[in-house]
Amino acid sequence: MRIHVVLDLYIFKVKTFFGALRASKASIALLLLYTLSFLLGLFSFSTPISDAIRKGVTDIDSYTELLSSVASLLMVFAVSLALRGYTVFEYEQNLIFTSPIKPREFLIADIFSNLTSLLIFANPIVIFYVMIVHSLKLSTLSALLMLSSSILFIFTLLLLKTSLSMIKSLYGGNQVNTLILAIIVILVLPAAGFIADLPLEYNSLPYPSTFLARILVKSVYSVDRLTLDFAGLSFYFLLSVLLFLSISTKNFFPTTTCIPFVSPFDTSMRMQTLQMERNIKMFSRIGMLPTLNLGSKSLLTFLMKKEVIRVIREGSLFTIIFFYLIASFIVVATSISSSQTTQSLPYTYLVTFFVGVYSLTIPLMLVSNWRFSDIGSLWIPLTSGMDLRIMVNALLYSFISISSVVPAAVISILSLIYSINPIIPLTLAVSTSMIGCPVNLYIMVGFLGMKSSGTPSILIGLASMLLSVLLLTPTYILIFLGLHLSFGDVTSWLLTVTILAYSTLIMKLFSREIKRSISRIEL
Amino acid sequence: MKAVEVVNLVKVYGGGIPAIDNLTFAVEPGEIYGLIGPNGAGKTTTLRIVATLIKPTSGSVRVLGFDVVDQAEYIRRMISYLPEEAGVYGNLTGYEYLRFIADIYAKSGDESESMIEEALEISGLGSRIKDRVKSYSRGMRRRLQVARTLMVKPKLAILDEPTSGLDVYHAHYIRRCIRRYVDEYGLTVLISSHNMLEIEYLCDRILLIHRGRSIDDGPPRILKEKYSSNNMEEVFLKAVGLT
Ligand SMILES: Nc1ncnc2c1ncn2[C@@H]1O[C@H](COP(=O)(O)OP(=O)(O)OP(=O)(O)O)[C@@H](O)[C@H]1O
Ligand SMILES: [Mg+2]
């Protein structure tokens, strides 16, 4: 192994990945924003934690339990990445895989560059660690112990993920899939114990995540009696090193899966499009199954059908359904776990809140997918001389129907489970999509019409979210009133009608504006 | 020993129809050997197999005496590959990019410096080499790629449509560079191209592929006689059976 080659390769990879960061101020601002908001969240956690620790908690076990389930979720995530096989970027394949660089040299550079990007994205956690060490006045030994065990754990994860993805790439097949899935199941099992009352607990099992959690929690109090845990963690680390050493000399280059290179900081259209493609590709195969009959009498319905087909084919619809499934799962899980504790929220609140948050993201998803997949053919309607109002309406109506139908289905199911009245959550979902879709489209079209159309999509999304929430304030107030002043049936319906009328008004207003600014886009 | 020896090569992508169907050819050391054929004929697939990037479904491919499957490591020390569409390195400067490659291939600091100097000359990018690759035009990127492929003076250069997207002046210039490298350093070149002028100017021998099969091969001059044609374009059309 040649150290200087590994170093060169590492620097090259990091430079390529973070290159865009050097060039664009917007990206740096975004990263700062990210760090700040992340830190804010951690702060709100840290106060109760350090308070509790100062007061002297007796319940060390449950802290360990919590931490080790988080750590093993991280492991599950890392291991499940291996199911894709070893993925590399185009440039790595063409350039590096035909050069004298050896597999192991490449792998080590890859692991360290993964670690680097991990550290940059997790920088708030590093800051948090420093804050905790400082505010609790931990001894140097404890601080070092926490740090070194975290580093050991992270390396174990990276080595495991690397080796497993290589095994998957090299040998493929169902046996490897079964192996990876088995590891995942073993890691998840104790977590399932929370819900199903299994006698399994992370605390009592020799998982790497348990060792890490024990060290982290216990070293806050004293560094005694940690030798065993540290030895356990080191054992797993050595195991992963051995696995890595035994597999890393194999020529796995021709078996890798190639993915287009995308830096998260890139502001160029092409890069964002590629990223988008990657996200929705997973679902696009299912999308070829349904076909709609395109023929219809009016241009409006024709265009609407076309949009619906696009949304199905490119996979956005499945992404939406997928998101909702996860979200409803979380709702159900929270309600189960909170019913065990003292106060439980009324389900109507829970469902309404969940609908409010999630239905806000769907218009954003639909509109940005439209941008990425249709901007290239926007010249067709724009140069065709057709009435642009029809086109805008077709877009809006299809977006609104899609973004109302999916939540509506979920709400119906949830309201059956909890036997609650679905009217209020339904009204919220429909109003959110009637206001959210036009607002998102308006802002997107506005940005596209600007001279510098290379705005990062996150910024556009942020702006759309803010404006949507602002315009939805009346809806939120009315919904809030409706929830609190348990109205009779007639007043409830009146409320719904008022909200829908208001939403229609906003929609009409924005659709006129969109029509005006869509003709300003330079293609 | 042959520079490249392909025997009964078959490549099937994911269970479909074969992209390469029983292809056999050999490239002599120091020769410029051209692959020509219609779109989808299997040129890129062949080159990627020779470059050890993908594995053959069956058949054997040896490069400079080594097997592409079992001895890829040795082959990679002696080849340099220019892909059909080179990926994006947009955020590095042209210079950083060349520096990186030179450092991988060179055995000493001096060698690395002289590689970069040569690459600067081949690419003809001048002071633009300090700009980020993102800001280059298509042709400028291509020139940077050709330069990095040649500067390491491989024993075998695998060039997939090296001059695609280049203007007449730069295409001509790049061809002269390739020729010069072959003459001065004794490289062997395996090249694919859709430019018949280029093929005639550069190649000692060519292989005509169609639907993954070889239809004919030989020096351009002989092929022109055989198909009683004035230029390679006519040879191509007649051989593929399009006239
Ligand atoms: N990754 C792939 N997966 C499936 N099929 C592929 C893949 N790459 C190429 N093919 C198929 O293999 C055949 C040969 O493709 P190849 O790229 O080698 O052609 P080519 O001769 O280089 O064409 P061109 O002149 O257009 O560059 C084509 O039928 C193509 O569809
Ligand atoms: Mg090709």
Side-chain angles (χ1 to χ4, degrees):
Chain A
M1 204 182 75
R2 295 157 301 169
I3 300 292
H4 79 98
V5 169
V6 176
L7 203 67
D8 268 342
L9 188 56
Y10 164 76
I11 292 171
F12 180 73
K13 282 170 77 77
V14 172
K15 268 191 188 166
T16 344
F17 195 72
F18 291 104
L21 206 54
R22 296 193 288 186
S24 137
K25 290 192 190 76
S27 306
I28 295 181
L30 265 179
L31 191 66
L32 277 180
L33 198 74
Y34 163 83
T35 307
L36 279 179
S37 52
F38 204 147
L39 266 182
L40 229 62
L42 284 177
F43 255 130
S44 51
F45 263 118
S46 82
T47 333
I49 290 181
S50 53
D51 269 0
I53 292 174
R54 277 204 209 90
K55 277 184 209 130
V57 234
T58 43
D59 201 11
I60 295 185
D61 276 359
S62 58
Y63 273 98
T64 315
E65 188 98 339
L66 181 72
L67 207 59
S68 75
S69 39
V70 171
S72 65
L73 274 186
L74 277 180
M75 293 191 76
V76 168
F77 177 68
V79 170
S80 63
L81 284 179
L83 281 172
R84 309 184 290 179
Y86 207 98
T87 54
V88 292
F89 297 129
E90 234 171 344
Y91 80 87
E92 296 177 314
Q93 197 179 41
N94 288 328
L95 176 69
I96 295 166
F97 290 2
T98 57
S99 81
I101 288 179
K102 296 195 181 83
R104 187 176 285 172
E105 293 165 346
F106 174 80
L107 287 169
I108 291 177
D110 204 28
I111 286 178
F112 277 93
S113 70
N114 279 338
L115 186 70
T116 309
S117 28
L118 209 68
L119 278 182
I120 291 193
F121 280 112
N123 72 70
I125 295 193
V126 179
I127 302 175
F128 185 64
Y129 162 77
V130 175
M131 280 177 354
I132 286 275
V133 167
H134 189 75
S135 71
L136 291 178
K137 302 200 174 55
L138 294 185
S139 70
T140 326
L141 193 59
S142 307
L144 278 180
L145 204 62
M146 286 170 114
L147 191 66
S148 55
S149 55
S150 306
I151 291 175
L152 270 191
F153 183 73
I154 291 172
F155 267 103
T156 312
L157 275 192
L158 286 173
L159 288 170
L160 190 68
K161 182 216 138 213
T162 305
S163 313
L164 284 178
S165 343
M166 278 183 74
I167 293 175
K168 165 77 186 176
S169 283
L170 281 166
Y171 308 110
N174 283 331
Q175 280 129 314
V176 180
N177 284 340
T178 318
L179 173 78
I180 295 175
L181 287 176
I183 297 180
I184 291 178
V185 168
I186 292 175
L187 289 172
V188 176
L189 220 53
F194 280 139
I195 301 175
D197 257 355
L198 294 176
L200 287 174
E201 276 168 14
Y202 280 107
N203 259 340
S204 53
L205 295 169
Y207 282 8
S209 48
T210 311
F211 291 129
L212 175 74
R214 274 200 214 136
I215 295 173
L216 289 185
V217 173
K218 279 198 215 158
S219 61
V220 170
Y221 302 100
S222 76
V223 289
D224 306 334
R225 285 179 291 124
L226 282 175
T227 333
L228 206 64
D229 295 317
F230 201 76
L233 196 59
S234 312
F235 170 74
Y236 280 107
F237 172 70
L238 283 181
L239 217 60
S240 63
V241 171
L242 282 182
L243 181 66
F244 176 77
L245 286 180
S246 68
I247 190 107
S248 60
T249 50
K250 297 241 168 20
N251 173 25
F252 71 106
F253 290 167
T255 59
T256 50
T257 319
C258 197
I259 52 176
F261 174 72
V262 178
S263 162
F265 306 112
D266 229 306
T267 50
S268 79
M269 247 334 230
R270 184 182 125 77
M271 286 303 111
Q272 291 181 23
T273 312
L274 281 176
Q275 189 162 33
M276 214 59 203
E277 266 172 19
R278 207 164 78 195
N279 293 343
I280 58 187
K281 208 181 229 152
M282 205 163 79
F283 297 97
S284 61
R285 245 177 274 155
I286 328 168
M288 287 313 284
L289 291 176
T291 45
L292 290 179
N293 179 12
L294 260 186
S296 49
K297 287 206 186 74
S298 87
L299 187 56
L300 182 71
T301 36
F302 171 79
L303 287 175
M304 280 177 67
K305 278 186 189 170
K306 173 195 154 281
E307 287 312 319
V308 173
I309 289 185
R310 178 182 62 75
V311 169
I312 294 175
R313 294 258 165 94
E314 73 182 11
S316 329
L317 184 65
F318 296 95
T319 321
I320 293 174
I321 293 176
F322 188 66
F323 269 123
Y324 253 98
L325 282 183
I326 291 183
S328 352
F329 177 75
I330 293 174
V331 169
V332 174
T334 346
S335 69
I336 289 174
S337 65
S338 68
S339 68
Q340 287 163 354
T341 62
T342 42
Q343 358 117 286
S344 60
L345 280 166
Y347 294 130
T348 324
Y349 279 61
L350 200 68
V351 174
T352 311
F353 176 74
F354 149 69
V355 165
V357 172
Y358 273 86
S359 45
L360 211 53
T361 57
I362 292 178
L364 178 65
M365 192 145 61
L366 285 173
V367 169
S368 45
N369 283 3
W370 166 78
R371 170 196 182 189
F372 290 116
S373 50
D374 262 26
I375 189 87
S377 44
L378 199 56
W379 60 272
I380 301 174
L382 287 190
T383 55
S384 73
M386 69 177 279
D387 186 353
L388 288 179
R389 217 167 11 187
I390 298 181
M391 183 202 151
V392 171
N393 282 342
L395 274 177
L396 281 182
Y397 294 159
S398 49
F399 288 169
I400 291 173
S401 359
I402 293 168
S403 60
S404 318
V405 164
V406 179
V410 174
I411 291 169
S412 315
I413 296 172
L414 285 180
S415 61
L416 277 184
I417 295 181
Y418 298 124
S419 56
I420 53 175
N421 184 355
I423 294 295
I424 285 186
L426 270 181
T427 311
L428 179 60
V430 173
S431 168
T432 311
S433 76
M434 283 177 79
I435 293 176
C437 291
V439 166
N440 274 280
L441 193 60
Y442 171 74
I443 292 202
M444 179 64 76
V445 167
F447 267 111
L448 289 178
M450 277 172 20
K451 278 288 166 290
S452 63
S453 55
T455 321
S457 45
I458 303 182
L459 274 188
I460 301 182
L462 218 63
S464 315
M465 288 284 220
L466 283 178
L467 189 58
S468 309
V469 170
L470 209 67
L471 288 170
L472 275 166
T473 319
T475 305
Y476 292 151
I477 293 177
L478 288 177
I479 294 277
F480 185 75
L481 286 180
L483 280 177
H484 268 263
L485 313 172
S486 43
F487 290 135
D489 265 0
V490 183
T491 359
S492 274
W493 281 109
L494 216 63
L495 202 76
T496 302
V497 171
T498 318
I499 291 177
L500 291 186
Y502 167 72
S503 316
T504 316
L505 189 77
I506 296 283
M507 185 190 78
K508 287 277 173 221
L509 233 111
F510 270 86
S511 98
R512 238 190 15 229
E513 287 305 312
I514 297 169
K515 199 215 113 202
R516 205 170 294 160
S517 47
I518 207 166
S519 52
R520 273 204 295 270
I521 298 181
E522 289 175 24
L523 292 167
Chain B
M1 188 189 60
K2 308 268 191 240
V4 179
E5 194 173 15
V6 173
V7 181
N8 298 332
L9 176 64
V10 175
K11 175 70 191 180
V12 183
Y13 284 107
I17 47 159
I20 305 287
D21 194 359
N22 218 10
L23 196 66
T24 300
F25 67 91
V27 182
E28 301 293 337
E31 186 177 40
I32 303 186
Y33 194 84
L35 299 184
I36 63 173
N39 293 141
K43 304 178 293 294
T44 300
T45 305
T46 310
L47 296 185
R48 287 173 75 77
I49 291 175
V50 173
T52 74
L53 281 175
I54 50 179
K55 287 181 174 162
T57 308
S58 70
S60 96
V61 177
R62 301 185 81 79
V63 176
L64 300 151
F66 296 105
D67 185 88
V68 286
V69 179
D70 299 328
Q71 294 164 311
E73 195 185 320
Y74 301 101
I75 296 176
R76 290 183 196 132
R77 288 184 201 151
M78 296 179 292
I79 61 169
S80 180
Y81 169 62
L82 174 68
E84 188 171 32
E85 302 237 352
V88 195
Y89 328 86
N91 292 310
L92 295 184
T93 67
Y95 183 81
E96 285 174 322
Y97 178 60
L98 292 175
R99 164 109 262 162
F100 162 67
I101 293 153
D103 282 351
I104 291 179
Y105 281 85
K107 285 171 195 70
S108 68
D110 286 349
E111 196 188 347
S112 154
E113 286 304 324
S114 75
M115 274 185 188
I116 293 177
E117 235 158 74
E118 284 179 44
L120 286 178
E121 197 192 319
I122 302 172
S123 69
L125 282 168
S127 61
R128 291 298 304 273
I129 200 75
K130 296 257 186 289
D131 291 343
R132 292 199 301 159
V133 174
K134 200 183 239 174
S135 69
Y136 292 1
S137 75
R138 187 163 130 79
M140 290 161 75
R141 286 180 204 191
R142 199 69 188 150
R143 270 146 54 200
L144 181 71
Q145 291 294 335
V146 175
R148 74 107 174 122
T149 316
L150 290 180
M151 75 175 187
V152 303
K153 303 189 197 76
K155 285 219 171 61
L156 172 70
I158 302 163
L159 310 175
D160 202 346
E161 303 185 26
T163 57
S164 77
L166 295 192
D167 64 62
V168 176
Y169 171 80
H170 281 104
H172 178 75
Y173 176 72
I174 290 290
R175 270 173 225 138
R176 285 211 338 250
C177 285
I178 297 175
R179 218 12 325 151
R180 180 165 64 85
Y181 265 72
V182 171
D183 294 342
E184 279 179 23
Y185 304 107
L187 318 186
T188 308
V189 175
L190 182 57
I191 186 174
S192 96
S193 176
H194 288 299
N195 184 331
M196 294 303 129
L197 258 168
E198 174 166 300
I199 291 288
E200 250 186 290
Y201 171 80
L202 277 179
C203 295
D204 301 308
R205 284 192 306 141
I206 59 167
L207 175 72
L208 267 152
I209 323 182
H210 188 33
R211 300 200 177 117
R213 298 209 184 102
S214 143
I215 343 182
D216 217 330
D217 68 335
R221 194 174 41 82
I222 306 281
L223 285 174
K224 276 190 288 187
E225 276 169 23
K226 185 173 168 187
Y227 288 88
S228 45
S229 307
N230 295 320
N231 54 47
M232 285 308 295
E233 205 156 288
E234 275 181 53
V235 172
F236 182 99
L237 292 173
K238 283 181 181 164
V240 173
L242 290 174
T243 48

